[in-house]
């Protein structure tokens, strides 16, 4: 049985990660259509499914919410955090401190928390469907289209809802606007305020609903702002409800009759801090956020330990599963796990009370569902609950995180309970229970609110319990720079007295005397150049460090990327170099001098440059022959890695190549995305230096102009994985960036995202600057690179006559159409495969280092590309070649011959070849044959 289940996991892992739009099935059968100015953005954010609900046929399934679709916690957290940063920019710090953020249960409780995190200065409250004994209701409202309509507001601060500042209302989607409109109407009648901000992932209202809210804003005399990631409408054909019901009836299948033993579930004590609220049901302040942030590392460490089965291997793919409204704490734990173990595929989602049809089709958003009884003693009585896309998700372990109210016998019920269902589908299940927070001071009357009943027209009045949670002046994190078109938000300004139109600034009302319904639109500078976009990093839960704040303030002072032809021979749209131009600085030194200085510890290899190798005619011919031979193979690998990135990392990635070996590959990936998908992807090159890390200022520039979640780092190939490890360590100080590198070839088995794991000749490795846009290696030296500078590099304009950078790119991209069918097969195979890095290359390097008496893995350079670099730039000792290696090593043999370096054929080598740098080199050192080792 277990073997069969494991095979099913592998099968479903592929289909769930399909590149098809997950709304195709419903769109084709039901005629539902998403429309908008940027339909591509809508389909990135949303899939479609069918509700099992008589009130509405279709369901917009968010891909970034972490509810129905397991998603990276970094993606989920940043979606809300970026919205919150935009709201803070819109309001300004003074109004942000006076604001209250209100999230809607059940789907937007975690999103609202993240918006409040981005806003940083305001308390947060979410509605709830769970009455709390001893806590009186302050208000309530109805949500007409929901499966369960009644919401309660239970703040422990009696004055929370009567604060005069802006009210920020957060929901996952803004469909008709009725729920938000009713909330505003009822609260405004009792506590009028000048400003409301509506925040949603998507704004999908019809034109009539848009006009209705505009008119309402004018009626109450308040400004209503709207901030969303994307906007559009849903076109519904006639009879959609009846058609939807028929489809549900035709495709409804009984849940799988599988159940495991809940007694095998491992429980873990997180060490939850006493007195800390478990979320925003009764209010959550910036001080609570800081306290949670301080406790998260320890709790994540305990959870990580429990996720490793006793006597088993560490999991490769983990799901942290929250429970209905209880989203934020599980999300925070998932984010801490992801930060702690960047090479583990961590996902986050929650259970839900919404019944949705499951259809196992790549074009449908809900592939599988688990059904189990409610386990939190709900006020509306027993009923079914659901976990979607968990079964068949390929998870090695699931951490179920619930509050203590939901930790009941029903949760552990043999056969039907959630834990039994999970054990049947996932090898290892862990349960963590967080104490349900109940305000300590009992029920306290809320000022200005009277008891009343819930009604469909809006809020119901009551009393609010508990002592005030608010503090007067929380710490202010660094202010975001201005917003811009590359930001992950779509903002619109709706004038109350006319059609939609952008305004000149983010804080303006409409031209008339009435209020405005608006979304923040950044001002355009007089130069006409678009302003920079705001950063959207995953925030620390505690106050930001002063040094980092200073760096953030200086981000706007960083120069724009260098581009060709002023810097590099690449076209300006192919790549932007986040480097400073050191072309006028003499940096080259003889190879022997550099090697001796580096090995004696007197210098770092990035403080100088090797003299550019000028290839002989024979070597140039060898390069072109190799290019002719390998162009198809490279094109196929480029296509495979690009399709994998688009499917798994981001539908619109920002390619960031590691200069300079990664840069030609980044250009080729960009060309593939453009040729095959019509995507115009941004591409930048940044410097990373072994032992020194990545260029932090380049990261700050990227974070200020793009969503870090979309950034994909690109390199040419992996050797032993040193740069892979270097990048992971360097990004620890920049939460939000994914350290997983995408490479053309991964012979060392060091990464998950690659085109091939074969060790073959990539012709761009044969040469130096003349195949890399005439740009040198990057330079990091204290007297040249200050704390606010990018790392440096040189542009060798004088080598233009020998430049083959364009030849290489064109030879490969000309083969894209030829390999398209093979790439589709390769990508499907890769997405279905277990690509967990084995680090076999690193192990082989350690063995070789000891066997050959080198005792320094940094002097062992595995793979064709790295061996070529040794022969071109370092002082080589010998080359190890796999016995029987063919033409892929012709250029290596030629270079070795020119430098008098022996090539030793060996058996059992995991790479095609390995280059050994001369150990303990001095200029008097000799090679293995007794001859002096010379530079080319």
């Amino acid at each position: 049985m277990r073997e069969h289940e494991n095979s099913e996991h592998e099968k479903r892992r592929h289909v769930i990660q399909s590149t098809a739009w997950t709304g195709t099935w419903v769109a084709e059968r039901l005629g539902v259509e998403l429309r908008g100015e940027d339909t591509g953005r809508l389909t990135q954010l949303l899939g479609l499914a069918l509700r099992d609900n008589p009130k509405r046929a279709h369901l917009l399934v968010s891909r970034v919410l972490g509810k129905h679709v397991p998603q990276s916690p970094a993606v989920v957290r940043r979606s809300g955090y970026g919205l919150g940063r935009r709201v803070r920019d819109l309001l300004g710090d003074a109004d942000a401190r006076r604001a209250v953020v209100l999230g809607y249960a059940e789907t937007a409780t975690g999103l609202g928390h993240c918006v409040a995190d981005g806003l940083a200065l305001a308390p947060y409250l979410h509605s709830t469907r769970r009455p709390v004994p001893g806590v009186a209701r302050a208000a309530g409202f109805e949500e007409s289209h929901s499966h369960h309509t009644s919401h309660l507001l239970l703040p422990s601060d009696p004055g929370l809802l009567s604060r005069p500042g802006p009210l920020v209302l957060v929901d996952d989607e803004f469909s008709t606007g009725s729920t938000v409109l009713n909330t505003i109407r009822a609260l405004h009648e009792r506590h009028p305020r000048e400003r409301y901000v509506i925040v949603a992932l998507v704004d999908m209202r019809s034109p009539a609903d848009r006009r209705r809210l505009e008119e309402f804003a004018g009626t109450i005399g308040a400004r209503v702002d709207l901030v969303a990631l994307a906007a559009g409408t849903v076109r519904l054909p006639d009879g959609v409800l009846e058609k939807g019901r028929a489809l549900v009836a035709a495709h409804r299948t009984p849940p799988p009759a599988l159940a495991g033993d809940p007694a095998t579930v491992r429980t873990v004590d997180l060490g939850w801090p006493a007195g800390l609220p478990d979320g925003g049901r009764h209010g959550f302040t910036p001080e609570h956020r800081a306290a949670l942030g301080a406790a998260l590392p320890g709790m994540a460490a305990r959870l990580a330990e429990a996720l490793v089965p006793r006597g088993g291997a560490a999991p490769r793919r983990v799901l942290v599963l929250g429970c209905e409204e209880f989203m934020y704490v599980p999300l925070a734990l998932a984010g801490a796990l992801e930060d702690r173990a960047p090479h583990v595929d961590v996902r986050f989602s929650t259970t839900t009370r919404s019944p949705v049809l499951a259809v196992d089709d790549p074009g449908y958003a809900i592939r599988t569902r688990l059904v189990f009884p409610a386990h939190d003693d709900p006020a509306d009585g027993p009923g079914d609950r659901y976990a979607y896309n968990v079964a068949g998700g390929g998870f090695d372990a699931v951490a179920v995180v619930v509050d203590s109210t939901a930790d009941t016998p029903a949760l552990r019920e043999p056969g039907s309970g959630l834990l039994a269902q999970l054990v049947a589908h996932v090898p290892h299940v862990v349960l963590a229970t967080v104490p349900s927070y109940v305000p300590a001071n009992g029920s306290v009357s809320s000022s200005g609110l009277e008891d009343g009943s819930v009604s469909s027209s809006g809020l119901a009045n009551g009393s609010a319990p508990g002592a005030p949670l608010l503090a007067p002046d929380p710490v202010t994190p660094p202010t975001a720079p201005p917003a811009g078109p590359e930001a992950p938000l779509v903002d619109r300004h709706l004038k109350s007295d006319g059609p939609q139109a952008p305004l000149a600034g983010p804080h303006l009302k409409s031209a008339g005397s009435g209020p405005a319904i608006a979304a923040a639109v950044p001002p355009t500078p007089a130069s006409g150049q678009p302003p920079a976009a705001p950063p959207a990093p995953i925030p620390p839960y505690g106050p930001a460090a002063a040094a980092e704040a200073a760096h953030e303030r200086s981000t706007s002072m960083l120069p724009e990327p260098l581009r060709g032809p002023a810097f590099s021979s690449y076209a300006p749209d192919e790549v932007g170099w986040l480097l400073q131009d050191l072309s006028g600085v003499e940096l080259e030194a003889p190879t022997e001098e550099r090697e001796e200085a580096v090995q004696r510890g007197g210098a770092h290899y990035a403080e100088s440059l090797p003299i550019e190798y000028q290839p002989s005619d024979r070597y140039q011919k060898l390069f072109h022959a190799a290019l002719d031979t390998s162009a198809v193979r490279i094109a196929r690998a480029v296509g495979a890695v690009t399709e994998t990135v688009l499917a798994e990392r981001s539908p619109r990635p920002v390619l960031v190549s590691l200069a300079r070996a990664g840069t030609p590959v980044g250009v080729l990936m960009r060309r593939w995305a453009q040729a095959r998908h019509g995507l115009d992807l941004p591409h930048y090159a940044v410097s990373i230096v072994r032992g020194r890390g990545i260029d932090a200022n380049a990261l700050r520039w990227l974070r200020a102009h793009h969503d870090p979640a979309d950034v994909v780092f690109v390199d040419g190939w992996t050797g032993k994985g040193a740069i892979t490890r270097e990048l992971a360590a360097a990004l620890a100080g920049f939460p939000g960036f994914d350290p997983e590198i995408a490479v053309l070839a991964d012979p060392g088995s060091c990464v998950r995202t690659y085109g091939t794991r074969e060790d073959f000749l990539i012709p761009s490795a044969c040469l130096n600057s003349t195949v890399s846009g005439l740009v040198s290696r990057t330079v990091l030296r204290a007297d040249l690179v200050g704390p606010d500078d990018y790392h440096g590099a040189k542009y060798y304009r004088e080598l233009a006559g020998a430049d083959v950078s364009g030849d290489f790119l064109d030879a490969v991209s000309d083969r894209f159409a030829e390999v398209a069918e093979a790439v589709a097969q390769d990508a499907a195979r890769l997405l279905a495969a277990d690509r967990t890095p084995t680090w076999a290359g690193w192990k082989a390097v350690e063995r070789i280092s000891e066997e050959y008496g080198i005792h320094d893995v940094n002097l062992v350079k595995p793979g064709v590309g790295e061996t070529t670099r040794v022969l071109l730039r370092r002082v080589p000792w010998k080359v190890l070649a796999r016995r029987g290696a063919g033409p892929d090593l012709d250029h290596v043999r030629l270079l070795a011959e020119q430098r008098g370096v022996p090539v030793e054929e060996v058996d059992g080598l995991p790479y095609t070849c390995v280059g050994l740098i001369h150990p303990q080199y001095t200029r008097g050192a000799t090679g293995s044959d007794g001859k002096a080792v010379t530079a080319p």
Side-chain angles (χ1 to χ4, degrees), residues 5 7 48 61 76 98 156 172 252 302 311 317 372 423 439 459 463 764 805 811 900:
E5 290 173 12
S7 66
L48 292 173
V61 181
V76 176
R98 300 168 59 239
S156 61
D172 59 313
R252 184 188 289 120
R302 297 180 191 99
R317 183 170 164 87
F372 51 92
V423 170
L459 291 167
S463 58
S764 60
S805 304

Side-chain angles (χ1 to χ4, degrees), residues 681-696:
L681 300 183
H683 175 215
Y684 306 97
V686 302
S687 169
I688 187 169
V689 176
R690 181 173 53 80
R692 302 284 179 87
I694 198 166
D695 188 336

Side-chain angles (χ1 to χ4, degrees), residues 13-14 17-19 644 647-648 826-833 835:
R13 178 182 294 185
H14 161 54
Q17 293 182 351
S18 170
T19 58
T644 303
E648 292 188 335
D826 292 343
R829 176 180 52 79
L830 286 170
L831 290 170
R835 290 171 282 128

